[in-house]
Structure formats: C-alpha cells, structure tokens
Amino acid sequence: MENNMYLPFRSKIINIKPHTDIDYTFRMEFTGDVKPGQFFEVSIPKYGEAPISVNEIGTDYVDLTIRKVGKVTDVIHTFYPGQYLFMRGPYGNGFDVNIYKDKELIVAAGGTGLAPVKGIIDYFSNHIDSIKKFSLICGFKSSSDILFKESFKQWNPKIETTVTVDKEEEGYDGNVGLITEYVKKLEIENIREANVIVVGPPIMMKFTVQEFINKGIKEENIWVSYERKMCCGIGKCGHCKINDTYICLEGPVFNYIKAKELLD
Amino acid sequence: MGFSLNLTEFKNIFEELKKEYTVYAPKLFKNKGTYSDTNMVRYDEIHDIEDIEFDQKSHYSPKEVILPITQTLFYFTEDEVIEPKFNDKKILIFLRSCDIHAVKRLDEIYLKNGGEDYYYRRLREKVKFVLMQCEKSFENCFCVSMNTNETKDYSLFIKRKGDILFIEVKEEEFLSYLHNGKSEEVSPSFIEKNEVTANVPKDLDISIFKSPIWEEYASRCIACGRCNTVCGTCGCFTMQDIFYKDNVNTGERRRVWASCQVDGFTTMAGGHEFRKDKGDRMRFKVMHKIYDFNKRFGYHMCVGCGRCDDACPEYISFSNCVNKLNKVVKGEI
Amino acid sequence: MDINTKKLKKNAFRVTKERGKTAARIRVPGGHIDAKYLIMLQEIAEKYGNGTLHITTRQGFEIPGISMKHIPEVNKALQPVIEGLDINQISPNTGYPAAGTRNVAACIGNNVCPFANYNTTSFAKKIEEVIFPNDYHVKIALTGCPNDCIKSRMHDFGIIGMTKPQYEAYRCIGCQACVDNCKKRATGALSFENYKAVRDHERCIGCGECVGKCPTSAWTRSHEKYYKLVIMGRTGKKNPRIAREFIIWVDEESIIKIIQNTYGYIEEYIDKNASGGKEHIGYIVDRTGFQEYKKWVLKNVKLGAKAVMVENIYW
C-alpha cells in the first residue's frame, strides 16, 4: 500500500453544528498540516467522495461545512458524532495569510462560499493587529441560509461586517440586496493597496469581482477560490482542468490575474 | 540486433515469452463491430501470434492495458478498505509508434502531474513495448504532423511479411529467446508522409475561445464521447462507489474512463454544469490536445493517430478542426 | 387471338386493361439487384413494351404495354436476368414458372443500414430458393430490425431481425447513452444501477440500438442471429390486419422450415372451390384455426433454446 494516494483514512466526527437545514459543520479529527481554503475528499464508502473545503483548523481537528446537495452529502448528514467518515487530503493550495498581513483586506463571500474563507477570517479576527483594516461582506439567499451565526458575533466588533440577504423578508430587519450593492457602498481606505478575496457561486464571483475592479482595486490584489467537479484531487481525473490549470493542484485559490484567464 | 524467423519458429518463442509476459496486441473480433456483420479490432490478451492483427489500425488504443476501463481501487467491508490483489506478471504490448508516444502522454499525467498514481505506476512499470511496423499510413492518420511517426522507445520491433517475421531486439533480455533465429539486419521503417496533415497553429492563445468556429460543433456533435474513448491520450476518469446488492455493507470504489464530451463531465453536486454547450466541449478537447497540454508539459498531447476521426458518427474531423484553427490564427478565415 | 390466360398468369404475365397487351413481371428476391440487369429490362421495355417500367410494391419490376404475341421473345430476353438472380426455373428461355408465391421482399438490411441486424437480401434469397416456384398465394417480407421499414407485418410472414446484445460491464463507462436511447427509441428495457446498465430481458426486443450507441463497445451483437417471426398479416378487401408474433428469438433454419411446412398445410386445407383455385393463406388459417396451423408447420422444427413461441394468436 505504499504511497497510494487514493486510500482514505478514517476520521472521527467530534461534533456536528447545524447552521441551516442543509448546512452542517462537521468537526473531524485531524492532525497535520492544512491551510484554510484547502480541501479534503470526504467519503462514505459505497456512496462516493465529495471535495469539501476546510473552514476552521485546530490542533487536532478540522471543521468541514457540508451542504446537503447530493448522494454523498445526503448520507453524511445522517451521521452522528462518534461515527467515522473517510477522508483524503488536504489538497490544493489554500490561502496564504502572509499575503494579506499589514494591509487592508476585504472578504466578499456568497452563501457556502463563506466556508473556505472562514479560516482566514478567524485567523485575522484572532490576529487583528496584524492587519490594517478588515471588512467582511456576506450575502445569503435568505436569513435562514445564514451560516456561522455565532462566529459573526465573535468577528463583529473587530471586523467591519455586513450581512445581506437577497430579498425582503417579514420580521428580518437586516440588510437586503445583492453583495455587489454593498461593495459599491463600501469605504476602502487605500484602494491601490487593499486586498480582496471573493468566494461564492460562479455568477456572484463574476459580478462581485467586476464591482471591485470598477472601484479601482488592482487585479493582482484580488483573490478568488474556485469550485469544480473533482474526482481525484491530485491532477489525474481531469474534471477540474481549465486550460492548462488543474484547480485541484494550482487552486482552488487563485490570484485574479490568473483566474481571469480560466475560461471553462 | 535483428533476426528473421518463420511462423512456426516464432510460435515456439511466443510460447516461451508467454511464460514471462502477458502479451497484449490488437486482435480482430469477428462480427463485434458497431454494425451488424462488421468486425472490431481492439486490444486483448494474445495467446497465439496468429491472433495479432497486423494489417489494420485498432479501433481502440492500447491505453486500456495500462489504464483499464473499469479499475477497482479498493474494496470496502464494514470498516476496512482492502486493495485488490495484483498480478505481477510482466506485460508486453504490441503497438505502433503513435501509440508509444501516446503512452508517454499518459505517463506525464499519471506519473508526474501532481505526483505518482499508484495504480497506474504498478501496471506501467511492468510494461515493455513491441513496436509494430506501419506498412502504410492509415486513413485519417496524421502522425507526421504531430512528430509521433518515429520512436526509439521500444524493446522489440516486429514486422510480418507473409509467414516470415522480422525482429529487432533492442533490449538484451530478449536475445535469449531468439537464439534460433537467423541473424539479419532489421530496423523499422517509419511513415514519412500521411495523406492528412494537421497544421497546428504556433501562435495559438485563448483569444481563439471567442472565435465563431466552435459554433458549428454545438449542433454537429452528439456528445457520445467516442473521440475520447478511442483516443490513446485521453486519460480522464470518474470515481464510482458501489455496494453489492447481496450485501450492502460491502462494496468497492472504482475508477472508470470519463469523457469531457459527455454530459455531466463538469457537473457538480447540486447540478451546476460548466460546459453545457457541445461547441465549448469541442473547444476544451481540441485546445487540450494542441495547446494547453503543450503549455504545461512542452509538447503536444495529440499524437495524430486519427482514431477520433475514424470513430466519430457525425464525421467531425479533429485534424480538419486544427487546420481551421490555423486559418483563423493566420487571419485566412 | 387465342391465349390461355391461366398459363399466361402462371408465367408471371398479366392480363391488362388493354386488349392484347400484357405486362411482364420480374421478381427480385430480397429487392437487391446488380445494376447491369436494369439495362436489359430497359431494352425489353423499349423493344417490346411501351418504353416504361413500373417499380412494384413487392420490389419487382413490371414492364407494361407488351403485345401478348411477343411473350416467347420476352421470356428469352429475360433469361439472363432470371439466371443472374438465381431464380429456380423449370426450363430455360420459358420465363418464370410460377407467380402465386410472391416475390420475397426485403428492406435494404445490413448491406447498408446501420440499424439492420442481418443481411435481409441473402436470407430472402435462401427462402426464395426453397419455396419457388409455387402457385400458392404466400407473401413474405424481411426487415432488418424492429423499425420494420418493409412493413413485414402486412405480410403472411414477416421476418424481423433481432440480436441478443452482449454486455461487457467492464467496458462500460456509465455514459447511459444506451439507457437514454432505449427509453426514447425502443422499449425502455435498460436501467442504470451501480453505474452500469441493467437489462430487463422481458422488455428487450433485440433491436441492437444499444450496440449502435455504445462508445466503448461494451455492447456488441451476439454471434447468433435471431428473428421475430410474425404471421398472417394482410391487406385486401376482406378483413385486413397486421401480423402477430408467432415465435421470437427464432433462428433462420427454423423459419425456413416453418415456411416450407406451410405449403404442405395449404395443400391439405385449401378450399378446392376457391375462385381461380386461389386462396390466400391467411383465410385458410382463419378456417382451420391457429392450433391446426401450428401443429402442421412445427413438424421437424427444432427451435433453439432461446426461442419463445406463443400459445395462441388472436388476430
């Protein structure tokens, strides 16, 4: 079995935290090097594998927020703490926190796109002095889709946070409207220096990035994370390839200079 | 060193070789073609030299020997994963120059790109090549355009003329099998000219994505995936987990060839699909074969075997598409 | 003019509207013919007929406008065509020896068509070889696949090509082209389970569509060729109807034997007072009942293990 990258290891579910009806965070036993934005191939034998990004990293655990959207994740959602999932990874490049240190950082996340950047937000919320300014804009379909509600409470005083939902709702008095509208309103101190991370559904990323460019953010200061179908995570299966780039190897996090050339 | 042998003499050698090697070669499957009363030529284990189809291009490439169509990665029991047993008998593959070049492309992905693939490596390292002579360039071949018409990467070279076989031995270990053969100068003659030429444009870049030339393929292509399955260089796969009907607690994880032209190749859980349009899929495939693989690894992926053209039920020609791209780049269309 | 019209008709000529004029009928078993014979037919039409040629519904030719007195010359002129098409003849240069059993028609079959499961023309010729010449009124048509382009179900015997698709699960990449296609164009006999195709054998009609759609040749045709034999379809003034299934997954040899046996059955049961001595086989079966017919025609027939025969037919 030497060097067989396809063999998964067993990992115990430490606890499960539901955010919405379909988004649960699974805290999994894991020790080893891993960066926010990297992903694991999580599987239940006989059902299949799914690439899931890491959203929180502890000394002996990783948190994986898993949306119930398919065959594998449907079954994962029936699991309890103490049971085991199979995993391989971590794969991909992940976010490099050093890039954003001592500068202004804006994170714009749409829906589950918040999961892969949560590690970055956590990191700077705990090391707020190592960053000049941090703004967070999160968009969700509705108030019942909001993820990591408890984390927002921790982040909020330190990080300038905007949460918005797509449409007006009865009994909801928060922000309403698409992320792009809040990007327009956002006050950025140093447009030429500020870094921006945009993660979310393909259409949201496209328009949000454009909005930041319109505001004068330099392309080389924009970072995105791509989601693609992936079967192997190690540059073989070909599903995630765009042009000469393998999202699983060189991504999923890309500088926009590179990302803008990645046309499906 | 070269030898000539008659068929009977070679049969004895073949028997000896079979003790050490499992031999794969193109084989004629009578009445197993797509249409009634047509034949199929594809790779299979060979037990007799007479079973080797020397005269026709195989419909499928030899890749299935080292990259099985369905390959079990491991079995599951309740809480264990178990690797399948592995046969460590060495492998000989009879194949043509273009196909040897095609294996190099698979090696690039499976052995180098993002690390070594365990299952591929295990099979690949057992393989030795027997180069087959191309007496003539077959229909749709354009190996000369892709510089795959010649190779030095083989252990044995064989050509058959009636009942006489001419053999060149490049690897010493095979000399012992041939002690009875008549010494003779033998070396392959390679194809120098094909009827089809593919002019791969040198100044290609992704601005060609916007060219209207892809549009016609949206309506012509039926997304059947034959161009991928017959290709010697396509190596994409999809992972499948299954459980056994009679014991749902056990099952297996396997990988199976995938096609970038078939629906679902880019579909993520939840249903989002990145390349719905068949013209986009054609563009993705063509650009991979003659642009982005080269950008990443320094040589083109396509080896010009022409099997995709042979197989396309809609008569879409890959080489013609390449030539059209060349004209677009040159501003001729 | 003194002409024995009974003999004339038996010799494959026709009594036409125009007094003294006949039309020569040329049978082309299996509907496929070397083009060189058309030139001969052209010459006959121009020399003896009115210069025209009719293509018949049964894939023969009819040359109209021939003077009845020229029948012997026309028969001589037809000799190379009759020989070239391997028609059983009693004596040379006398034309066709019978006309009751009609030309054995066939769709283009696997000579050309990607859907066909066998060579319809060569099977048609084999049948012609054993049944011709014969005066009994029997119509046979062969079609390559269940699309039934020849409309074999309008004939006394319809022979529909089948294959038993062989599935090699190892070669299947799970693209589901076969499953989708079977649903859309055939009978929905295929489903998808554990990423591989699963066949409902009860529903499979052996059309071979799955083979045609498979990108890896996981599906291939069986070495054995099978047929669906449908019987006693007819047009006509009295009670037209389509043929019903008699035996499915039946082999070529059994079909030939059944057709041969049918002639013995006709001999036994034909209405001796039928007008013109001619009674269509379907009406005889109506009279004796299917069970009696079945008993006769299955004599010495050894059906293969896969053959499925119906107990009764209710037309």
Side-chain angles (χ1 to χ4, degrees):
Chain A
M1 295 219 192
E2 87 299 1
N3 201 21
N4 183 347
M5 293 198 277
Y6 294 100
L7 284 181
F9 54 85
R10 264 156 51 101
S11 168
K12 194 159 141 186
I13 303 171
I14 300 167
N15 64 54
I16 301 171
K17 192 179 287 174
H19 306 284
T20 72
D21 289 349
I22 54 166
D23 301 286
Y24 294 1
T25 294
F26 291 74
R27 178 156 294 182
M28 307 301 303
E29 276 185 350
F30 182 78
T31 50
D33 284 344
V34 54
K35 283 197 282 186
Q38 284 194 300
F39 64 95
F40 285 90
E41 286 283 354
V42 180
S43 67
I44 301 179
K46 299 169 298 203
Y47 294 93
E49 288 188 309
I52 307 286
S53 62
V54 174
N55 65 56
E56 190 178 322
I57 298 154
T59 48
D60 53 1
Y61 71 87
V62 286
D63 278 359
L64 308 174
T65 300
I66 300 175
R67 170 166 280 199
K68 193 179 157 187
V69 283
K71 195 174 161 188
V72 184
T73 51
D74 284 357
V75 182
I76 292 177
H77 268 238
T78 66
F79 275 46
Y80 292 99
Q83 285 185 288
Y84 289 85
L85 296 177
F86 281 82
M87 306 205 318
R88 17 185 215 108
Y91 297 126
N93 57 355
F95 289 100
D96 180 359
V97 292
N98 294 318
I99 291 171
Y100 314 109
K101 277 183 181 162
D102 302 322
K103 287 177 198 141
E104 183 175 357
L105 177 63
I106 302 137
V107 172
T112 46
L114 183 55
V117 286
K118 183 175 170 286
I120 287 280
I121 308 168
D122 282 335
Y123 177 85
F124 285 113
S125 128
N126 294 330
H127 303 83
I128 199 72
D129 295 338
S130 66
I131 198 150
K132 265 192 181 156
K133 187 186 176 211
F134 195 154
S135 319
L136 171 65
I137 308 177
C138 296
F140 298 97
K141 263 206 177 101
S142 71
S143 60
S144 58
D145 294 312
I146 297 174
L147 306 175
F148 308 116
K149 283 177 190 142
E150 283 167 32
S151 299
F152 277 111
K153 285 175 203 155
Q154 289 167 24
W155 299 334
N156 214 359
K158 303 176 207 164
I159 299 167
E160 199 183 301
T161 306
T162 311
V163 175
T164 171
V165 299
D166 288 0
K167 281 181 218 134
E168 295 272 2
E169 285 172 41
E170 230 182 273
Y172 175 77
D173 55 4
N175 298 313
V176 175
L178 297 176
I179 287 189
T180 42
E181 293 171 33
Y182 291 88
V183 172
K184 270 185 201 142
K185 291 178 200 161
L186 189 71
E187 278 180 31
I188 301 171
E189 282 174 11
N190 187 343
I191 292 276
R192 306 305 291 165
E193 290 291 315
N195 278 302
V196 169
I197 298 173
V198 180
V199 188
I203 195 89
M204 169 267 168
M205 296 216 297
K206 187 179 162 194
F207 287 104
T208 309
V209 166
Q210 197 49 53
E211 204 56 59
F212 279 114
I213 291 169
N214 293 348
K215 276 180 96 85
I217 298 284
K218 285 161 129 176
E219 287 186 350
E220 68 254 39
N221 289 341
I222 300 175
W223 305 82
V224 294
S225 178
Y226 274 6
E227 216 188 329
R228 286 295 179 280
K229 180 184 173 83
M230 289 176 187
C231 283
C232 69
I234 50 178
K236 311 280 179 263
C237 79
H239 288 277
C240 73
K241 189 185 82 70
I242 310 177
N243 307 337
D244 61 330
T245 301
Y246 289 77
I247 305 300
C248 66
L249 298 179
E250 284 90 52
V253 178
F254 293 100
N255 184 274
Y256 187 67
I257 296 285
K258 170 85 181 173
K260 71 176 179 184
E261 308 233 297
L262 299 178
L263 306 171
D264 283 290
Chain B
M1 272 183 89
F3 303 91
S4 69
L5 300 137
N6 67 33
L7 214 53
T8 325
E9 289 167 329
F10 191 79
K11 277 187 181 190
N12 296 330
I13 292 169
F14 200 73
E15 287 307 312
E16 289 303 308
L17 275 170
K18 269 165 50 189
K19 288 178 189 159
E20 283 286 309
Y21 291 90
T22 309
V23 184
Y24 292 92
K27 184 171 143 184
L28 184 91
F29 289 78
K30 207 139 176 29
N31 296 333
K32 287 292 174 183
T34 300
Y35 306 121
S36 168
D37 291 346
T38 61
N39 301 330
M40 153 76 52
V41 181
R42 64 168 171 85
Y43 275 77
D44 198 20
E45 189 179 339
I46 298 292
H47 299 285
D48 188 324
I49 182 81
E50 304 247 43
D51 288 340
I52 300 176
E53 174 58 51
F54 280 96
D55 301 333
Q56 295 183 63
K57 189 196 317 186
S58 66
H59 299 160
Y60 293 90
S61 85
K63 77 177 172 194
E64 60 191 85
V65 178
I66 38 180
L67 195 64
I69 302 174
T70 302
Q71 187 173 31
T72 301
L73 302 185
F74 39 82
Y75 299 98
F76 306 121
T77 59
E78 308 245 349
D79 45 21
E80 251 189 321
V81 289
I82 303 157
E83 268 187 61
K85 284 210 179 74
F86 183 68
N87 177 352
D88 54 12
K89 195 169 174 185
K90 293 187 281 183
I91 294 171
L92 271 186
I93 308 179
F94 281 67
L95 73 184
R96 299 174 191 279
S97 175
C98 60
D99 288 334
I100 290 175
H101 283 274
V103 175
K104 183 184 166 193
R105 275 88 176 141
L106 294 175
D107 289 350
E108 193 73 62
I109 296 292
Y110 277 89
L111 300 178
K112 295 173 195 155
N113 194 47
E116 229 177 46
D117 185 284
Y118 172 74
Y119 297 94
Y120 182 85
R121 199 230 332 124
R122 279 198 315 182
L123 270 167
R124 179 66 180 89
E125 65 192 8
K126 300 194 303 170
V127 169
K128 286 188 172 157
F129 295 143
V130 184
L131 174 69
M132 294 168 83
Q133 169 105 348
C134 288
E135 296 294 348
K136 60 177 170 56
S137 173
F138 297 103
E139 197 179 348
N140 294 322
C141 289
F142 54 99
C143 53
V144 178
S145 303
M146 303 314 296
N147 294 317
T148 60
N149 51 324
E150 292 186 24
T151 181
K152 291 192 174 75
D153 181 16
Y154 56 90
S155 304
L156 289 167
F157 160 72
I158 288 200
K159 74 174 167 187
R160 185 178 167 169
K161 276 210 168 127
D163 280 353
I164 308 292
L165 288 139
F166 298 89
I167 300 168
E168 183 200 359
V169 180
K170 274 191 69 176
E171 202 173 318
E172 225 179 88
E173 73 153 287
F174 293 102
L175 282 175
S176 60
Y177 293 96
L178 285 145
H179 45 81
N180 287 332
K182 195 176 107 206
S183 277
E184 195 162 335
E185 191 63 39
V186 180
S187 62
S189 63
F190 294 109
I191 295 293
E192 284 164 6
K193 203 167 178 291
N194 309 114
E195 214 170 289
V196 175
T197 314
N199 301 306
V200 179
K202 287 200 175 57
D203 305 320
L204 203 58
D205 61 54
I206 61 169
S207 64
I208 199 93
F209 282 25
K210 295 194 184 81
S211 165
I213 78 151
W214 307 110
E215 285 164 18
E216 65 164 297
Y217 299 108
S219 57
R220 288 179 66 192
C221 173
I222 56 165
C224 71
R226 279 173 179 79
C227 50
N228 299 123
T229 60
V230 298
C231 177
T233 69
C234 277
C236 289
F237 66 82
T238 300
M239 217 75 100
Q240 296 176 346
D241 273 29
I242 59 135
F243 51 83
Y244 303 133
K245 269 167 117 180
D246 45 0
N247 180 0
V248 294
N249 292 320
T250 60
E252 63 182 78
R253 178 165 299 164
R254 59 199 184 197
R255 63 177 175 198
V256 175
W257 288 1
S259 156
C260 57
Q261 307 300 295
V262 168
D263 290 353
F265 186 77
T266 59
T267 309
M268 298 193 297
H272 186 84
E273 188 176 14
F274 289 95
R275 281 185 300 278
K276 269 198 172 76
D277 183 88
K278 295 184 193 81
D280 287 343
R281 295 181 195 172
M282 177 74 177
R283 184 210 74 215
F284 177 82
K285 176 187 72 186
V286 173
M287 291 299 277
H288 189 33
K289 300 293 178 190
I290 58 143
Y291 172 70
D292 58 58
F293 185 94
N294 177 44
K295 205 174 157 200
R296 193 174 174 94
F297 302 112
Y299 57 97
H300 287 304
M301 187 176 191
C302 174
V303 294
C305 73
R307 288 189 180 94
C308 49
D309 286 18
D310 300 339
C312 181
E314 300 301 315
Y315 286 78
I316 292 170
S317 162
F318 178 88
S319 55
N320 191 41
C321 179
V322 172
N323 289 334
K324 277 197 279 185
L325 285 179
N326 190 42
K327 283 184 184 158
V328 172
V329 170
K330 283 184 170 165
E332 290 168 17
I333 47 172
Chain C
M1 194 180 274
D2 182 347
I3 297 281
N4 182 336
T5 61
K6 303 279 183 303
K7 279 188 184 164
L8 173 140
K9 287 181 197 167
K10 190 171 153 64
N11 197 198
F13 285 90
R14 188 198 281 275
V15 175
T16 68
K17 277 168 71 183
E18 198 180 342
R19 189 133 189 103
K21 288 284 163 74
T22 183
R25 300 157 76 195
I26 293 98
R27 58 196 294 129
V28 182
H32 212 82
I33 186 170
D34 283 347
K36 64 182 178 192
Y37 298 116
L38 295 182
I39 295 165
M40 297 175 191
L41 299 182
Q42 178 194 354
E43 279 168 6
I44 295 169
E46 286 170 355
K47 190 167 175 192
Y48 301 102
N50 60 17
T52 69
L53 199 72
H54 182 76
I55 302 166
T56 74
T57 59
R58 298 208 59 84
Q59 299 184 321
F61 296 101
E62 190 158 330
I63 305 175
I66 296 170
S67 171
M68 284 177 175
K69 63 176 192 251
H70 286 140
I71 286 176
E73 283 100 314
V74 170
N75 276 337
K76 270 191 201 112
L78 279 172
Q79 189 58 27
V81 180
I82 291 168
E83 275 173 21
L85 291 175
D86 289 324
I87 306 292
N88 295 333
Q89 208 181 15
I90 308 284
S91 58
N93 298 314
T94 59
Y96 294 94
T101 287
R102 299 299 200 251
N103 185 40
V104 183
C107 76
I108 197 155
N110 82 356
N111 269 325
V112 174
C113 179
F115 296 107
N117 286 316
Y118 67 105
N119 188 322
T120 50
T121 299
S122 73
F123 192 0
K125 285 183 165 173
K126 278 184 202 165
I127 295 172
E128 167 85 4
E129 166 71 26
V130 299
I131 63 170
F132 190 79
N134 205 298
D135 294 334
Y136 293 133
H137 196 125
V138 176
K139 290 172 176 164
I140 301 167
L142 297 92
T143 200
C145 78
N147 280 350
D148 195 8
C149 295
I150 198 74
K151 299 168 185 70
S152 72
R153 284 181 187 265
M154 306 303 285
H155 294 71
D156 299 316
F157 293 97
I159 298 160
I160 301 169
M162 296 175 90
T163 186
K164 192 103 202 168
Q166 307 290 301
Y167 183 60
E168 204 182 330
Y170 158 76
R171 294 192 72 80
C172 173
I173 60 167
C175 70
Q176 299 190 66
C178 56
V179 178
D180 291 345
N181 183 69
C182 190
K183 217 165 266 161
K184 284 182 192 138
R185 292 174 70 163
T187 58
L190 298 178
S191 55
F192 197 56
E193 204 178 290
N194 263 339
Y195 301 97
K196 302 284 180 190
V198 178
R199 172 172 27 175
D200 176 350
H201 286 270
E202 292 295 307
R203 277 205 207 168
C204 175
I205 54 165
C207 62
E209 282 269 357
C210 46
V211 179
K213 293 290 174 284
C214 184
T216 56
S217 307
W219 288 108
T220 55
R221 281 185 173 74
S222 53
H223 283 294
E224 304 78 14
K225 291 192 166 74
Y226 299 97
Y227 306 88
K228 178 185 285 189
L229 180 63
V230 297
I231 59 166
M232 306 307 147
R234 64 187 175 215
T235 56
K237 299 182 180 81
K238 212 167 125 185
N239 190 17
R241 68 187 182 198
I242 64 161
R244 297 282 180 194
E245 272 139 46
F246 178 19
I247 314 174
I248 55 175
W249 305 110
V250 61
D251 63 296
E252 184 180 294
E253 202 186 325
S254 299
I255 291 175
I256 292 175
K257 189 82 198 145
I258 287 167
I259 293 173
Q260 267 184 309
N261 287 345
T262 299
Y263 284 90
Y265 163 86
I266 298 172
E267 181 84 46
E268 177 74 15
Y269 287 110
I270 194 166
D271 178 0
K272 308 286 188 250
N273 301 316
S275 80
K278 207 171 97 174
E279 190 182 25
H280 197 285
I281 163 74
Y283 299 111
I284 307 175
V285 177
D286 289 352
R287 206 169 54 244
T288 70
F290 171 68
Q291 293 304 331
E292 184 62 17
Y293 170 74
K294 189 165 141 185
K295 199 174 80 192
W296 268 83
V297 297
L298 289 177
K299 272 177 207 160
N300 300 321
V301 172
K302 285 193 191 77
L303 293 176
K306 286 205 167 60
V308 179
M309 184 167 52
V310 300
E311 274 310 304
N312 213 338
I313 300 179
Y314 308 94
W315 277 283

